[in-house]
Amino acid sequence: MFLAVSGDKTSISEMIANTCIGMGTVFLVLIFIALIISLFGFIPKIQQKLGKKVTSAAEATPAAPVAAAVPAGNLMDDAELAAVITAAVYAASGSAGADSKDKLIVRSIRRAR
């Protein structure tokens, strides 16, 4: 009887059969996973087909108002940036009002070149 161990008297043929069944199961699952992964190549094609239908439906609906564009450039000066970085390091150290356990002190922040 396969896959059943009856005491200490298991024959070699039962051991080999159990090994083959186990290895066969593993290889079948691996082949199944490989087939699923090979189907991933079809996903972009399906998305493109569905995307065309969605865009045609989106063209029929009126467009939402566009938010005002944020002007490009430096939105913070260096003092604010240093304060934000210092606060982030201090908050990451886990101490809010007390000294950190590892005695971390931020002495200066310089711009990397």
Side-chain angles (χ1 to χ4, degrees):
M1 179 157 99
F2 296 127
L3 298 174
V5 178
S6 59
D8 294 330
K9 297 185 180 187
T10 306
S11 68
I12 296 291
S13 63
E14 288 177 356
M15 289 185 228
I16 292 173
N18 287 339
T19 302
C20 291
I21 290 172
M23 290 176 65
T25 303
V26 168
F27 281 113
L28 286 175
V29 170
L30 288 174
I31 290 170
F32 179 70
I33 291 171
L35 290 173
I36 290 174
I37 291 173
S38 68
L39 294 177
F40 284 170
F42 295 110
I43 292 175
K45 295 175 185 174
I46 294 171
Q47 285 179 340
Q48 286 177 352
K49 289 180 183 178
L50 293 177
K52 291 178 183 176
K53 293 177 185 176
V54 171
T55 55
S56 62
E59 291 172 357
T61 60
V66 178
V70 177
N74 191 3
L75 299 178
M76 279 195 290
D77 62 349
D78 290 335
E80 290 176 352
L81 182 61
V84 168
I85 292 174
T86 304
V89 169
Y90 192 69
S93 68
S95 58
D99 290 335
S100 64
K101 294 178 184 174
D102 57 356
K103 305 295 182 202
L104 176 67
I105 299 172
V106 178
R107 302 230 183 247
S108 66
I109 298 175
R110 291 180 282 143
R111 183 179 299 267
R113 294 184 192 249

